[in-house]
Amino acid sequence: MRIAITVDPYIPVPPTLYGGIERVADIAIRGLLARGHDVTLFAHPESRVDVALVPYGAPPHDGAWIRMTELWQLGSALLSRRREFDVVFNWGRLAALLPILPDRRLPKIQRYCRSLVPWKSVRRAVFLAGDSLSFAGASDSVYDELPRYGKSGGRWYTMYDAVEISKYTLAPAVASDAPLAFLGRLERIKGAHTAIAIARRAGRRLVLAGNHATEGPEAAYFEREIAPHIDGDQIMYVGPVDDEAKNRLLGSSAALLFPIEWKEAFGIVMAEAMACGTPVIAFPRGSVPEIVIDGVNGFVCRDVASAAGAVARVPTLDRARVRADCERRFSDEVLVDRMLAIMSSAVARA
């Protein structure tokens, strides 16, 4: 197939540190290329891919006029080149597809990796595009409001995010006093402060990794609710980590704490931990009940007390089984299989 893949122009594909969407898009592109498909990427000018790159973007990507400019750049490029592709897979904003929505001969798939689906825009897009437009959510939870809209909400598929399994090393066992880990942006909705509370209640060390805001409300959150607890002993903060450091951190941890306070669409760090054989202790929001199989690859807990209790049960889990489940559901091969199935179905309908 001749496939156009689009990604918002804010972060290169692949990202250097953080950028879950860009990382998964990179996995998909390389997988499709390996299977003989012709891929063109519309993305950040500094993207490093072995396929045709159509760069776009208007730094610093802030403000209504600049955002409209970026939508025009991508939309006009897709419109002028639409006959070059068999299918368009959009990881960016739905509005960028507006110029090609009326072309019902061209199959289009809109990817949603966030929990807030703009249903009004979705219904308008479906009205314009008809059956040539499909949607792929990063979990079932992304489109759990679909029953309210019926056919006007479009045709939806679930396509989980994935990790490149070969980049993660299975740690079949860890020390009895191995620390817990928290990996992600240190902001309130991610639950870093709750991870600290869980670790303290369980009497375990905790390693925090990730970036944090340096201004605004989230910077104040870090200074008030995170920094005072960092003592370099029970609670450690190691800052942002690259892929190699992430592999070491997750592989040497007893469990990953994922006490989110919002409807996380997938939570790729959970799959990264599982790829190392590290179980996940998480709160049941967003995709968590789909990703974490209680008692198999982690524990789903409702509060700090139950999460702290789950820490004591972590040694009962088989880390090799945790890795095997990740390979079965969240590997790069599974992602490409699913993506091809969705695109092939869309092409067949067209």
Side-chain angles (χ1 to χ4, degrees):
M1 279 190 290
R2 300 172 302 165
I3 305 166
I5 292 181
T6 71
V7 180
D8 282 334
Y10 315 136
I11 300 174
V13 178
T16 303
L17 291 173
Y18 294 99
I21 291 173
E22 292 77 15
R23 190 175 304 277
V24 176
D26 178 60
I27 292 172
I29 290 166
R30 286 185 285 115
L32 293 168
L33 187 62
R35 299 192 191 188
H37 297 280
D38 183 2
V39 179
T40 300
L41 173 65
F42 297 74
H44 191 288
E46 295 177 12
S47 297
R48 305 174 308 282
V49 291
D50 292 326
V51 299
L53 173 65
V54 180
Y56 79 103
H61 314 290
D62 191 24
W65 177 252
I66 289 179
R67 300 226 170 195
M68 288 297 296
T69 298
E70 291 174 337
L71 289 173
W72 175 84
Q73 289 174 341
L74 178 54
S76 60
L78 288 172
L79 181 63
S80 65
R81 302 183 60 170
R82 66 190 184 283
R83 294 292 168 250
E84 300 176 24
F85 308 116
D86 298 313
V87 61
V88 175
F89 198 103
N90 183 31
W91 247 287
R93 285 171 288 169
L94 176 60
L97 296 182
L98 182 59
I100 61 172
L101 285 178
D103 185 350
R104 299 195 175 191
R105 293 176 295 172
L106 178 62
K108 300 161 282 284
I109 295 135
Q110 173 67 40
R111 172 72 162 161
Y112 276 110
C113 306
R114 296 184 175 90
S115 56
L116 296 177
V117 174
W119 287 106
K120 183 181 292 186
S121 297
V122 164
R123 296 173 72 191
R124 289 172 177 168
V126 170
F127 177 78
L128 287 173
D131 210 31
S132 71
L133 177 64
S134 304
F135 302 88
S139 65
D140 295 350
S141 70
V142 169
Y143 57 100
D144 57 7
E145 295 182 1
L146 179 61
R148 292 175 53 190
Y149 302 101
K151 290 184 179 180
S152 68
R155 182 191 303 269
W156 283 79
Y157 301 90
T158 294
M159 187 182 91
Y160 290 127
D161 282 341
V163 294
E164 193 169 359
I165 289 291
S166 62
K167 287 189 174 182
Y168 296 88
T169 307
L170 168 63
V174 296
S176 59
D177 63 344
L180 305 171
F182 174 93
L183 176 60
R185 297 191 308 275
L186 275 71
E187 56 186 44
R188 181 171 297 281
I189 62 172
K190 295 287 189 178
H193 59 292
T194 307
I196 292 173
I198 293 169
R200 289 198 179 281
R201 183 155 185 156
R204 298 293 290 268
R205 290 180 296 131
L206 172 67
V207 178
L208 300 163
N211 55 349
H212 66 84
T214 56
E215 58 183 17
E218 292 299 338
Y221 159 77
F222 179 82
E223 292 302 325
R224 286 198 306 262
E225 301 189 44
I226 305 299
H229 298 284
I230 298 171
D231 57 14
D233 182 18
Q234 184 178 11
I235 311 297
M236 295 181 60
Y237 175 52
V238 297
V241 291
D242 58 18
D243 288 347
E244 184 179 344
K246 184 187 302 181
N247 186 41
R248 289 197 306 269
L249 169 63
L250 294 173
S252 62
S253 299
L256 173 77
L257 300 183
F258 196 71
I260 53 172
E261 296 189 357
W262 72 311
K263 186 182 175 185
E264 181 87 58
F266 183 80
I268 197 167
V269 68
M270 291 191 288
E272 292 172 331
M274 292 169 183
C276 297
T278 302
V280 176
I281 297 173
F283 285 1
R285 295 186 176 93
S287 67
V288 166
E290 299 174 54
I291 309 306
V292 180
I293 303 173
D294 199 75
V296 174
N297 58 7
F299 298 102
V300 180
C301 305
R302 296 197 171 274
D303 52 33
V304 169
S306 59
V311 172
R313 292 186 284 148
V314 163
T316 66
L317 302 180
D318 182 349
R319 292 177 67 97
R321 188 181 180 190
V322 173
R323 162 79 176 216
D325 178 71
C326 182
E327 292 176 351
R328 180 176 63 87
R329 296 195 293 151
F330 311 125
S331 71
D332 37 353
E333 290 297 319
V334 171
L335 171 76
V336 178
D337 286 344
R338 183 60 174 156
M339 191 172 179
L340 282 171
I342 293 171
M343 291 190 295
S344 295
S345 177
V347 169
R349 286 197 308 277

